[in-house]
Amino acid sequence: MSPSSGRPTATASTVQAINVLAGVIVRFCRVVLIVSGIALTVVTTANVLARYAMASGGFSFAQELPMLIFPWFILSGIVLAAHAGGHMAVEWIYDKLGERWRIPAFCLANAISAAAFLCLGYQATIVAEIAGVERSPVLQLPNSIGYYALAVGSVLVSLVILSATARVFRLGWEYRTEVKAEEMPV
């Protein structure tokens, strides 16, 4: 325990492991966001051009692909927002609490959020098993793909929430990541 703050002293390996986990998740989600965003743009643009160039009115698969790719695009953005502290949260209460209660309240709120996202991820896998029986008409891909995106995204959100919680618990309130109003794009 640190004598001045009453918090456990952070070991370099613990902090490094937390940062590595969050870093891997962030890099993965950035790749997914970029690849899926490019794929959505290319497929949609190609289909618009094909509508004018082809007698058939476009590509038959172009209606299905965006529905399969879009959940991955959105959920990777949600994970990145959660990592940056830009997700939906009740922030005003932390300013109202004294120094002694701020970190415990933050840890409790994040534990509840992480548990809720883990439950959501679990339920998404159950629904995915049911939806996996059905197939898309043209590509014949299972309709469970979007639900699995939700499951994976929920687990990743839980992990970044828990890593942020561990960082604040170990290092202190000043190590909390949060998006400032001036950093938000208008």
PDB file of all heavy atoms in Angstrom, residues 84-86 174 176-185:
ATOM      1  N   ALA A  84     -11.286   5.226 -24.842  1.00  0.00           N
ATOM      2  CA  ALA A  84     -10.929   6.642 -24.707  1.00  0.00           C
ATOM      3  C   ALA A  84     -11.737   7.351 -23.624  1.00  0.00           C
ATOM      4  O   ALA A  84     -11.518   8.526 -23.364  1.00  0.00           O
ATOM      5  CB  ALA A  84     -11.128   7.355 -26.046  1.00  0.00           C
ATOM      6  N   GLY A  85     -12.678   6.642 -23.022  1.00  0.00           N
ATOM      7  CA  GLY A  85     -13.523   7.284 -22.019  1.00  0.00           C
ATOM      8  C   GLY A  85     -14.624   8.112 -22.646  1.00  0.00           C
ATOM      9  O   GLY A  85     -15.222   8.948 -21.991  1.00  0.00           O
ATOM     10  N   GLY A  86     -14.899   7.885 -23.919  1.00  0.00           N
ATOM     11  CA  GLY A  86     -15.904   8.662 -24.628  1.00  0.00           C
ATOM     12  C   GLY A  86     -17.229   7.956 -24.742  1.00  0.00           C
ATOM     13  O   GLY A  86     -18.090   8.372 -25.494  1.00  0.00           O
ATOM     14  N   GLU A 174      -5.766  10.442 -11.512  1.00  0.00           N
ATOM     15  CA  GLU A 174      -5.154  11.217 -12.599  1.00  0.00           C
ATOM     16  C   GLU A 174      -4.769  10.352 -13.804  1.00  0.00           C
ATOM     17  O   GLU A 174      -4.485  10.876 -14.879  1.00  0.00           O
ATOM     18  CB  GLU A 174      -3.930  11.995 -12.090  1.00  0.00           C
ATOM     19  CG  GLU A 174      -2.841  11.139 -11.483  1.00  0.00           C
ATOM     20  CD  GLU A 174      -3.078  10.795 -10.001  1.00  0.00           C
ATOM     21  OE1 GLU A 174      -4.113  11.149  -9.434  1.00  0.00           O
ATOM     22  OE2 GLU A 174      -2.200  10.140  -9.435  1.00  0.00           O
ATOM     23  N   ARG A 176      -6.859   8.235 -15.194  1.00  0.00           N
ATOM     24  CA  ARG A 176      -8.115   7.896 -15.857  1.00  0.00           C
ATOM     25  C   ARG A 176      -8.134   8.520 -17.241  1.00  0.00           C
ATOM     26  O   ARG A 176      -7.774   9.685 -17.399  1.00  0.00           O
ATOM     27  CB  ARG A 176      -9.262   8.440 -15.014  1.00  0.00           C
ATOM     28  CG  ARG A 176     -10.607   8.141 -15.530  1.00  0.00           C
ATOM     29  CD  ARG A 176     -11.632   8.603 -14.495  1.00  0.00           C
ATOM     30  NE  ARG A 176     -12.825   8.963 -15.202  1.00  0.00           N
ATOM     31  CZ  ARG A 176     -13.287  10.187 -15.323  1.00  0.00           C
ATOM     32  NH1 ARG A 176     -12.673  11.187 -14.756  1.00  0.00           N
ATOM     33  NH2 ARG A 176     -14.386  10.418 -15.991  1.00  0.00           N
ATOM     34  N   THR A 177      -8.546   7.743 -18.232  1.00  0.00           N
ATOM     35  CA  THR A 177      -8.669   8.304 -19.580  1.00  0.00           C
ATOM     36  C   THR A 177     -10.062   8.882 -19.738  1.00  0.00           C
ATOM     37  O   THR A 177     -11.047   8.252 -19.370  1.00  0.00           O
ATOM     38  CB  THR A 177      -8.433   7.236 -20.668  1.00  0.00           C
ATOM     39  OG1 THR A 177      -9.289   6.128 -20.415  1.00  0.00           O
ATOM     40  CG2 THR A 177      -7.004   6.780 -20.696  1.00  0.00           C
ATOM     41  N   GLU A 178     -10.108  10.070 -20.261  1.00  0.00           N
ATOM     42  CA  GLU A 178     -11.396  10.695 -20.514  1.00  0.00           C
ATOM     43  C   GLU A 178     -11.262  11.637 -21.693  1.00  0.00           C
ATOM     44  O   GLU A 178     -10.220  12.224 -21.930  1.00  0.00           O
ATOM     45  CB  GLU A 178     -11.916  11.437 -19.286  1.00  0.00           C
ATOM     46  CG  GLU A 178     -11.040  12.576 -18.827  1.00  0.00           C
ATOM     47  CD  GLU A 178     -11.586  13.277 -17.610  1.00  0.00           C
ATOM     48  OE1 GLU A 178     -12.813  13.449 -17.504  1.00  0.00           O
ATOM     49  OE2 GLU A 178     -10.784  13.660 -16.760  1.00  0.00           O
ATOM     50  N   VAL A 179     -12.332  11.740 -22.442  1.00  0.00           N
ATOM     51  CA  VAL A 179     -12.357  12.635 -23.581  1.00  0.00           C
ATOM     52  C   VAL A 179     -12.788  14.005 -23.086  1.00  0.00           C
ATOM     53  O   VAL A 179     -13.822  14.146 -22.438  1.00  0.00           O
ATOM     54  CB  VAL A 179     -13.324  12.114 -24.664  1.00  0.00           C
ATOM     55  CG1 VAL A 179     -13.419  13.097 -25.810  1.00  0.00           C
ATOM     56  CG2 VAL A 179     -12.873  10.758 -25.167  1.00  0.00           C
ATOM     57  N   LYS A 180     -11.996  14.992 -23.386  1.00  0.00           N
ATOM     58  CA  LYS A 180     -12.327  16.367 -23.026  1.00  0.00           C
ATOM     59  C   LYS A 180     -13.259  16.950 -24.093  1.00  0.00           C
ATOM     60  O   LYS A 180     -13.220  16.553 -25.241  1.00  0.00           O
ATOM     61  CB  LYS A 180     -11.054  17.204 -22.954  1.00  0.00           C
ATOM     62  CG  LYS A 180      -9.973  16.632 -22.060  1.00  0.00           C
ATOM     63  CD  LYS A 180     -10.194  17.045 -20.642  1.00  0.00           C
ATOM     64  CE  LYS A 180      -9.037  16.702 -19.741  1.00  0.00           C
ATOM     65  NZ  LYS A 180      -8.946  15.362 -19.295  1.00  0.00           N
ATOM     66  N   ALA A 181     -14.061  17.898 -23.709  1.00  0.00           N
ATOM     67  CA  ALA A 181     -15.011  18.510 -24.645  1.00  0.00           C
ATOM     68  C   ALA A 181     -14.288  19.124 -25.841  1.00  0.00           C
ATOM     69  O   ALA A 181     -14.772  19.053 -26.972  1.00  0.00           O
ATOM     70  CB  ALA A 181     -15.841  19.570 -23.932  1.00  0.00           C
ATOM     71  N   GLU A 182     -13.106  19.678 -25.617  1.00  0.00           N
ATOM     72  CA  GLU A 182     -12.379  20.301 -26.726  1.00  0.00           C
ATOM     73  C   GLU A 182     -11.796  19.263 -27.688  1.00  0.00           C
ATOM     74  O   GLU A 182     -11.399  19.606 -28.797  1.00  0.00           O
ATOM     75  CB  GLU A 182     -11.278  21.240 -26.226  1.00  0.00           C
ATOM     76  CG  GLU A 182     -10.253  20.590 -25.316  1.00  0.00           C
ATOM     77  CD  GLU A 182     -10.637  20.614 -23.834  1.00  0.00           C
ATOM     78  OE1 GLU A 182     -11.770  21.006 -23.489  1.00  0.00           O
ATOM     79  OE2 GLU A 182      -9.807  20.223 -23.024  1.00  0.00           O
ATOM     80  N   GLU A 183     -11.740  18.006 -27.292  1.00  0.00           N
ATOM     81  CA  GLU A 183     -11.227  16.945 -28.163  1.00  0.00           C
ATOM     82  C   GLU A 183     -12.311  16.353 -29.047  1.00  0.00           C
ATOM     83  O   GLU A 183     -12.018  15.613 -29.987  1.00  0.00           O
ATOM     84  CB  GLU A 183     -10.607  15.822 -27.330  1.00  0.00           C
ATOM     85  CG  GLU A 183      -9.383  16.248 -26.562  1.00  0.00           C
ATOM     86  CD  GLU A 183      -8.887  15.177 -25.611  1.00  0.00           C
ATOM     87  OE1 GLU A 183      -9.525  14.100 -25.535  1.00  0.00           O
ATOM     88  OE2 GLU A 183      -7.882  15.399 -24.950  1.00  0.00           O
ATOM     89  N   MET A 184     -13.571  16.652 -28.756  1.00  0.00           N
ATOM     90  CA  MET A 184     -14.691  16.098 -29.510  1.00  0.00           C
ATOM     91  C   MET A 184     -14.834  16.816 -30.838  1.00  0.00           C
ATOM     92  O   MET A 184     -14.871  18.040 -30.882  1.00  0.00           O
ATOM     93  CB  MET A 184     -15.995  16.224 -28.722  1.00  0.00           C
ATOM     94  CG  MET A 184     -16.007  15.482 -27.408  1.00  0.00           C
ATOM     95  SD  MET A 184     -15.850  13.715 -27.583  1.00  0.00           S
ATOM     96  CE  MET A 184     -17.427  13.332 -28.248  1.00  0.00           C
ATOM     97  N   PRO A 185     -14.949  16.053 -31.936  1.00  0.00           N
ATOM     98  CA  PRO A 185     -15.164  16.705 -33.228  1.00  0.00           C
ATOM     99  C   PRO A 185     -16.579  17.290 -33.288  1.00  0.00           C
ATOM    100  O   PRO A 185     -17.509  16.739 -32.743  1.00  0.00           O
ATOM    101  CB  PRO A 185     -14.999  15.571 -34.226  1.00  0.00           C
ATOM    102  CG  PRO A 185     -15.201  14.317 -33.455  1.00  0.00           C
ATOM    103  CD  PRO A 185     -14.843  14.619 -32.038  1.00  0.00           C
TER     104      PRO A 185
END
